[in-house]
């Protein structure tokens, strides 16, 4: 009865809200229809590289040898790539350079949502802030467009907002309904209210104590790094000259013939891989470097004041069983006032984010305090039956959000809630701030300003409705053709279709025969993820230059499970080394080294993807807080392997026990298993190290130790003489 009363009480307010925003939605609809009609009337754009992309060497040659570009974009994140695509589709001669890899910064480290911002709309209503309202409105329009132009990389996602107080139900319902109304005709699906029982049916992990009900609304979700890459590749196919691992050393300037004032006319660049330096001349240079905005602005003028105020946002990835396959969760009010999302992503669960002031760095590191804060907030919303363990964190990363102050504002300390486009006295165009979802409209606004400031000859933007790379030929059933035509596993085929869209057939053609009855082709890089070896070869065609590019951005393995990524690295480096003709030891700047690549990628996983924080859960300083009974039980297990009572075990000891059980494990794999626990790195696991491991497992600091699982199941096998299975993801002991 109370539930129905709460719903009924919201109807009057909801009707008033609908009336208030009705007219603005009508005019917005007419405006969007007119823009789409314009794009359609222009017909299809010419696509010079529809089938095969130029190689990186060919792209660099174009950058070096072109007399002058109309536009040079610095920065290969979502915004920079969006600017390049917007420019080239206006028939402007376009170049783009990126110091690292495309999407290597903030654009690959987001919450993976394409959203308008529910909390921004709440602020807009509570404070009657028209600017915030328009920001949400623009983002919702861009959300619809992005879901339309890259259907293989994005999809609507229902997100549940659990309610634990009766008065909150109508309050939140009115706010969420407003979100639907602002989206208007571009509303993905209508939000709805759930009773307590229905909410628990859809999200059984939810804490049921004091739960009143829940509200479900829809936003978009995407594979952010692949989406960024799709934008970049689409620009390249339309004729933009692009190059990653190409840094700007300094800006080029020349005097304006009319005023004599120094004007930016290009950039002096260096190919980081070969060390070669060259000039790129352009009528207009666009600074789209995200957190590094001020670095390029100071190349233009040392007197320029900083406008970027970086904020670090940490996310963690935990196993998929923490959330339903197709339902996210929103915590609207955490203990410190932030918003936490808890979302299914790539068959795992992603949770975040934090919001902490930080220094600008190319290699942000997730901190243990931030990881534990997220875990603590997650525990508040999950059932006590679900033990949220630190050891279940499979990966963690930090992304730097480039919040900006408006240099044109009188109050230069005030954070700009949207983005800013600024043109310096020398003509450098800077686009900064904003959010992932609005990259396209930000790019359009930037190009409009650049064209006006530099008197470039170009028409209006044509990127609304322009399909991104792989999107045009994608259908929901495309994966079935991959299974039928190539003999790929169903899971692998679904992954390829959702990653490469219509271009997944190119990856399938490169797949090697497995030699098995099934699957016929497609050797996996690691057994529990659907990434296959041919993706490494195809990644090179997509301008991947390092192993990090493959594990972090061409595939997402490093973001999903650092341990699995670490295991896949040797094979990835081997394939790339063969394709790119790397040597075992680096001999010169232009030739890579397998050993150096492997070490660099391991360092990336260790520091930037949370492997360090994960491995530190077991250290020499770990206290052994076990009862006498527990110590006796674990000692008994240990000495089943240490038959000679040496006080330590080696791979030989483990092999002897496994042979009794008729179990064979590769010697290299055994070395890896013991090395995870070998704190002294002396090739053996001592009794104290084993007890420290079991203590960490009991505390939940470690949840997937292969040695702990192996020794437990082997002990049971010795007692029962039954089969033993070893699986990294087996859980506790």
């Amino acid at each position: 009865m109370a539930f129905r009363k709460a719903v009924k009480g919201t109807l009057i307010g909801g009707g008033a809200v609908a009336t208030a925003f009705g007219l603005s939605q009508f005019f917005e609809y007419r405006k969007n229809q007119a823009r789409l009609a314009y794009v359609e009337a222009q017909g299809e754009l010419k696509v010079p590289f529809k089938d095969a992309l130029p190689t990186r060497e060919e792209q660099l040659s174009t950058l070096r040898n072109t007399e002058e570009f109309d536009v040079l974009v610095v920065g290969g994140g979502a915004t920079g790539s969006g600017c390049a695509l917007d420019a080239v589709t206006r028939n402007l001669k376009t170049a783009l350079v990126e110091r690292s890899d495309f999407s290597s910064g903030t654009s690959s480290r987001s919450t993976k949502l394409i959203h308008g911002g529910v909390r921004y709309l709440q602020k807009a209503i509570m404070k009657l802030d028209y600017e915030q309202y328009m920001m949400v409105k623009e983002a919702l329009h861009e959300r619809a467009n992005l879901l339309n132009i890259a259907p293989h990389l994005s999809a609507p996602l229902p997100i549940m907002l659990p309610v634990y107080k009766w008065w909150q139900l109508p309050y939140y319902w009115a706010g969420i309904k407003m979100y639907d109304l602002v989206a208007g005709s571009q509303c993905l699906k209508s939000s709805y209210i759930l009773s307590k029982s229905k909410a628990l049916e859809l999200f059984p992990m939810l804490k049921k104590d004091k739960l009143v009900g829940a509200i479900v609304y829809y936003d978009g979700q995407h594979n952010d790094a692949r989406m960024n890459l799709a934008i970049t590749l689409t620009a390249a196919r339309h004729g933009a000259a692009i190059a990653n691992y190409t840094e700007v050393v300094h800006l080029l300037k020349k005097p304006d013939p009319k005023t004599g004032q120094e004007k930016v006319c290009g950039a002096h660049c260096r190919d980081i891989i070969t060390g070669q330096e060259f000039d790129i001349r352009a009528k207009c240079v666009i600074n789209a470097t995200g957190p590094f905005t001020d670095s390029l602005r100071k190349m233009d003028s040392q007197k320029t004041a900083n406008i970027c105020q970086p904020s670090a946002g940490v996310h963690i990835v935990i196993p998929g069983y923490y959330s339903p396959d197709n339902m996210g969760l929103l915590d609207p009010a955490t203990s410190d006032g932030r918003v936490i999302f808890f979302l299914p992503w790539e068959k795992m669960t992603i949770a975040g984010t934090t919001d902490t002031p930080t220094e600008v760095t190319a290699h942000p590191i997730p901190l243990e305090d931030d990881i534990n804060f997220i875990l603590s907030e997650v525990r508040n919303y999950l059932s006590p039956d679900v033990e949220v363990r630190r050891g279940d964190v499979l990966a963690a990363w930090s992304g730097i959000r480039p919040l900006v102050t408006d240099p044109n504002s009188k109050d230069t300390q005030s954070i700009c809630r949207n983005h800013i486009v600024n043109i310096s006295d020398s003509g450098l165009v800077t686009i900064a701030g904003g959010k992932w979802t609005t990259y396209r409209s930000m790019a359009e606004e930037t190009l409009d300003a650049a064209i006006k400031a530099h008197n470039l000859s170009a028409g209006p933007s044509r990127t609304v409705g322009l399909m991104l790379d792989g999107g045009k030929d994608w259908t929901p059933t495309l994966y079935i053709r991959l299974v039928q035509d190539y003999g790929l596993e169903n899971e692998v085929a679904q992954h390829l279709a959702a990653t490469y869209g219509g271009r997944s057939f190119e990856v399938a053609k490169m797949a090697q025969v497995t030699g098995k009855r099934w699957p016929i082709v497609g050797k996996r890089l690691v057994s529990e993820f659907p990434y296959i070896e041919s993706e490494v070869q195809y990644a090179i065609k997509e301008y991947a230059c390092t192993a990090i590019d493959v594990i972090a951005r061409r595939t997402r393995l490093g973001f999903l499970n650092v341990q699995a990524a670490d295991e896949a690295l040797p094979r990835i480096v081997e394939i790339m080394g063969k394709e790119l003709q790397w040597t075992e030891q680096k001999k010169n700047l232009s030739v890579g080294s397998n050993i150096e690549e492997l070490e660099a990628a391991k360092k990336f996983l260790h520091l930037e993807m949370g492997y360090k924080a994960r491995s530190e859960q077991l250290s020499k300083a770990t206290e052994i807080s076990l009862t006498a009974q527990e110590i006796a039980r674990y000692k008994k297990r240990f000495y089943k392997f240490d038959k000679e009572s040496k006080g330590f075990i080696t791979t030989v000891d483990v092999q002897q026990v496994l042979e009794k059980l008729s179990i064979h494990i590769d010697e290299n794999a055994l070395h890896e298993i013991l090395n995870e626990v070998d704190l002294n790195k002396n090739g053996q696991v001592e009794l104290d190290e084993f007890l420290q491991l079991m203590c960490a497992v009991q505390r939940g600091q470690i949840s997937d130790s292969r040695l702990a699982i192996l020794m437990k199941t082997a002990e049971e096998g010795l007692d029962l003489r039954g089969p033993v299975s070893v699986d990294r993801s087996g859980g506790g002991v």
Side-chain angles (χ1 to χ4, degrees), residues 142-453:
E142 294 301 324
R143 179 189 71 177
N145 183 66
L146 194 49
L147 288 166
N148 180 52
I149 63 177
H152 58 306
L153 292 170
S154 60
L157 176 71
I159 299 175
M160 181 182 291
L161 197 161
V163 180
Y164 289 90
K165 295 178 180 177
W166 279 109
W167 69 265
Q168 290 179 334
L169 198 63
Y171 173 75
Y172 285 136
W173 183 85
I176 293 297
K177 270 302 166 190
M178 174 72 79
Y179 195 59
D180 291 349
L181 288 165
V182 173
S185 62
Q186 295 169 328
C187 178
L188 302 180
K189 290 184 181 180
S190 184
S191 57
Y192 54 91
I193 293 179
L194 293 173
S195 64
K196 176 179 178 177
S197 60
K198 192 64 178 177
L200 291 171
E201 181 183 330
L202 292 175
F203 208 118
M205 309 84 174
L206 203 59
K207 183 174 73 176
K208 60 183 74 173
D209 186 35
K210 297 182 180 178
L211 182 69
V212 171
I215 301 165
V216 175
Y217 74 98
Y218 286 80
D219 255 326
Q221 188 178 52
H222 68 154
N223 185 335
D224 53 2
R226 291 296 316 184
M227 184 72 81
N228 191 156
L229 190 64
I231 300 164
T232 313
L233 297 179
T234 306
R237 291 193 187 280
H238 281 83
I242 65 170
N244 52 356
Y245 294 99
T246 304
E247 67 175 343
V248 172
V249 180
H250 61 80
L251 295 173
L252 302 176
K253 290 187 177 182
K254 66 180 181 182
D256 186 299
K258 294 181 180 178
T259 64
Q261 186 179 7
E262 290 283 298
K263 294 289 185 180
V264 173
C265 63
H268 182 72
C269 300
R270 176 168 52 234
D271 178 358
I272 291 174
I273 293 175
T274 65
Q276 294 181 355
E277 298 190 12
F278 54 93
D279 289 342
I280 302 176
R281 299 200 172 271
K283 296 172 184 175
C284 169
V285 176
I286 295 176
N287 174 11
T289 53
F292 300 95
T293 293
D294 290 324
S295 298
L296 200 67
R297 280 165 53 83
K298 287 186 182 296
M299 282 188 190
D300 179 28
S301 172
Q302 281 295 326
K303 296 179 181 178
T304 300
N306 288 347
I307 62 170
C308 185
Q309 298 192 18
S311 173
V314 171
H315 294 81
I316 64 172
V317 167
I318 51 183
Y321 55 68
Y322 273 99
S323 65
D325 291 339
N326 193 37
M327 179 68 75
L329 189 74
L330 168 64
D331 178 356
T334 61
S335 57
D336 65 352
R338 308 178 201 173
V339 171
I340 290 283
F341 286 99
F342 190 66
L343 311 165
W345 183 67
E346 299 287 321
K347 299 189 176 179
M348 295 293 176
T349 301
I350 182 174
T353 179
T354 59
D355 188 5
T356 312
T358 186
E359 296 296 319
V360 175
T361 172
H363 308 288
I365 297 171
L367 300 178
E368 187 65 23
D369 286 348
D370 289 325
I371 293 171
N372 286 324
F373 167 78
I374 296 171
L375 288 172
S376 176
E377 293 301 324
V378 167
R379 290 188 188 102
N380 291 337
Y381 273 86
L382 295 189
S383 167
D385 297 339
V386 181
E387 184 184 357
V388 181
R389 304 176 296 186
R390 173 60 181 84
D392 283 337
V393 178
L394 304 175
W397 68 87
S398 176
I400 300 178
R401 185 183 177 199
L403 302 174
V404 292
T405 56
D406 189 347
N408 300 319
S409 172
K410 291 180 181 179
D411 180 10
T412 56
Q413 297 302 309
S414 178
I415 293 288
C416 181
R417 289 164 296 190
N418 206 334
H419 60 271
I420 61 109
V421 177
N422 176 256
I423 301 175
S424 71
D425 293 339
S426 63
L428 177 67
V429 180
T430 295
I431 169 67
K435 52 197 287 188
W436 221 120
T437 307
T438 57
Y439 84 90
R440 192 213 62 81
S441 60
M442 289 162 60
E444 178 182 346
E445 185 180 333
T446 304
L447 264 295
D448 286 344
I451 289 166
K452 182 179 179 181

Side-chain angles (χ1 to χ4, degrees), residues 72-135:
L72 167 61
V73 181
V74 183
T79 304
S81 297
C83 286
L85 180 58
D86 193 284
V88 75
T89 51
R90 298 193 198 208
N91 295 320
L92 293 171
K93 194 179 292 184
T94 305
L96 179 146
V97 293
E98 161 60 44
R99 180 174 65 179
S100 185
D101 186 28
F102 306 121
S103 194
S104 59
T106 309
S107 295
S108 63
R109 304 174 190 229
S110 72
T111 312
K112 322 303 179 194
L113 285 177
I114 310 171
H115 62 131
V118 173
R119 66 184 185 276
Y120 296 128
L121 183 61
Q122 180 190 25
K123 291 177 183 177
I125 296 170
M126 298 299 290
K127 298 180 181 180
L128 299 177
D129 189 329
Y130 184 71
E131 182 188 347
Q132 290 255 28
Y133 164 70
M134 290 307 297
M135 184 175 72

Side-chain angles (χ1 to χ4, degrees), residues 617-637:
Q617 296 307 303
L618 180 64
S619 67
K620 294 177 185 178
T622 302
E623 293 182 11
I624 301 174
S625 54
L626 299 168
T627 65
Q629 186 178 7
E630 288 169 338
I631 290 174
R633 184 169 84 246
Y634 293 137
K635 276 186 174 180
K636 179 184 176 184
R637 183 178 302 173

